[in-house]
Amino acid sequence: MECTKCDREAVMHAAYSGNHLCERHFRESVERRVRRRVREDDLLSSSATPADPQTWLIGLSGGKDSVVLTQILHETFADDPRVELVALTVHEGIAGYRDKSVDACEALTDELDIDHEIVSYAEEFDVEMDDVVDSDPENMAACAYCGVFRRDLLSTYAQGYEADKLLTGHNLDDEAETALMNVLEGNVEQMAKHFDASLGPFDERNAQGGMTPRAKPLRDVPEKEVALYAQLRDLPVHMAECPHSSEAFRGEIQDLLLSLEEAHPGTRHSIMAGYEELAAMAADRYRSAGSESDLDECASCGAPTTREICRKCYLVEAVHAAD
């Protein structure tokens, strides 16, 4: 098939738009959506200047999403003195998995000349995910522990760098899955939290005290398009799946969403368009319950929390007690 926009050979077909795109126009399409999201979410504050630039911390795992995000943001802001990019890689302690992705992170950041730091669960919490999976003191999926630990480190180091924004590589599929899970679980309060944490434009969110604002500039791009972009650009990506990945409910939602998208192209976009409106209304309703005044400091680590001990510290103590 020929490209819809020129006479070159198409490398992909976007069923949701009907377009066949050649490599050039496909790459431009992905980059345009990321940059549009940066603008629409008002990611770059008008107060940023060359003398007082913003620092954006990117959670760089070495997977396709975070690598593509880092590459596009670097090319977008390489000549803009108002933005400084920093990459943070978290080593969970998973034998035969994370070491290879760390290599991919180092290859990318060396090539782009981006500041890059590697931190680990072992150094920060004295735990490794392989051991957590073996002990499993809370009888939970591995992802439940890992997600809490990872978010804590990203937040902690974002504050350490005095970052203005914390960016992650969540794509359209990731966000649509989360939206559908929240709807099917009837979790309206979680919708509100989702809006204020990372979904809504910055000027519409309720700021969370002590927490670095988050953004997901890839959230308009389907997962397969992110993977194709990385392949076409020959980016250093570690494609292996985590051996402990076991989120059963999300897996079911993922299968459902893919089947719906195949039968009804554009389903993911429609879900997100409606969900963003619902999440905004939910945020208005729950603003008082999630206000800064209700956040306290964790008695163990000082992190913002609604409990006496934050979830991360609770899980770390549980893992240590099980050893």
Side-chain angles (χ1 to χ4, degrees):
M1 295 291 293
E2 286 188 355
C3 176
T4 302
K5 300 181 180 294
C6 68
D7 58 1
R8 297 184 183 88
E9 182 181 358
V11 297
M12 65 85 66
H13 174 226
Y16 56 85
S17 68
N19 287 334
H20 294 81
L21 298 177
C22 65
E23 178 175 347
R24 173 194 162 194
H25 284 110
F26 167 69
R27 284 172 49 172
E28 289 178 351
S29 171
V30 173
E31 293 159 3
R32 181 170 59 252
R33 279 174 281 175
V34 173
R35 291 164 183 161
R36 182 180 63 208
R37 177 53 60 190
V38 168
R39 292 193 302 273
E40 290 184 355
D41 284 354
D42 201 19
L43 196 60
L44 181 56
S45 171
S46 59
S47 63
T49 66
D52 185 22
Q54 286 210 323
T55 298
W56 293 356
L57 181 71
I58 303 173
L60 179 62
S61 69
K64 63 186 185 309
D65 302 305
S66 62
V67 166
V68 167
L69 175 62
T70 303
Q71 180 74 36
I72 293 176
L73 289 179
H74 169 76
E75 292 175 350
T76 302
F77 294 103
D79 297 322
D80 192 331
R82 297 173 300 168
V83 176
E84 294 180 353
L85 299 179
V86 179
L88 180 73
T89 299
V90 178
H91 196 306
E92 305 95 339
I94 303 173
Y97 170 70
R98 183 54 69 195
D99 290 338
K100 293 181 180 179
S101 61
V102 167
D103 292 341
C105 295
E106 291 180 327
L108 180 71
T109 53
D110 286 348
E111 180 180 345
L112 301 182
D113 193 25
I114 292 176
D115 288 342
H116 178 220
E117 184 164 358
I118 303 171
V119 299
S120 71
Y121 291 175
E123 293 175 349
E124 299 291 335
F125 309 134
D126 193 27
V127 302
E128 293 192 336
M129 277 308 302
D130 286 341
D131 298 327
V132 172
V133 171
D134 289 339
S135 62
D136 188 14
E138 297 295 302
N139 192 28
M140 302 191 305
C143 298
Y145 295 96
C146 197
V148 171
F149 296 157
R150 175 182 295 277
R151 285 191 294 272
D152 180 85
L153 284 182
L154 287 172
S155 179
T156 298
Y157 275 81
Q159 293 175 43
Y161 276 102
E162 297 185 348
D164 298 279
K165 305 290 190 306
L166 172 57
L167 313 184
T168 58
H170 292 78
N171 57 52
L172 175 62
D173 296 58
D174 296 326
E175 292 296 278
E177 289 164 15
T178 297
L180 200 52
M181 288 169 67
N182 287 340
V183 170
L184 292 179
E185 291 177 329
N187 199 335
V188 180
E189 186 171 2
Q190 189 59 40
M191 294 181 199
K193 292 179 180 178
H194 190 185
F195 183 88
D196 281 335
S198 63
L199 192 64
F202 283 97
D203 61 353
E204 296 180 21
R205 298 186 198 176
N206 185 42
Q208 301 295 300
M211 301 180 71
T212 304
R214 301 187 178 203
K216 301 169 181 175
L218 269 184
R219 67 184 179 91
D220 299 313
V221 185
E223 181 176 18
K224 287 186 178 179
E225 294 185 28
V226 178
L228 179 59
Y229 183 94
Q231 180 182 359
L232 292 173
R233 297 211 54 179
D234 194 26
L235 298 178
V237 171
H238 182 231
M239 296 296 289
E241 184 177 350
C242 174
H244 299 315
S245 178
S246 58
E247 289 186 283
F249 185 41
R250 182 174 287 272
E252 293 177 23
I253 295 299
Q254 183 180 57
D255 292 341
L256 173 62
L257 194 55
L258 289 174
S259 64
L260 286 171
E261 183 69 31
E262 184 175 354
H264 309 283
T267 294
R268 291 166 299 190
H269 295 84
S270 298
I271 287 173
M272 289 310 300
Y275 178 79
E276 287 180 27
E277 287 194 40
L278 288 174
M281 290 187 284
D284 284 339
R285 174 180 174 182
Y286 283 95
R287 283 267 157 78
S288 59
S291 66
E292 181 177 339
S293 60
D294 285 333
L295 286 176
D296 206 342
E297 289 188 357
C298 171
S300 180
C301 72
T305 182
T306 57
R307 307 179 178 95
E308 181 180 354
I309 300 294
C310 72
R311 183 65 171 162
K312 177 264 298 181
C313 287
Y314 173 83
L315 291 178
V316 168
E317 290 176 7
V319 170
H320 287 163
D323 289 342

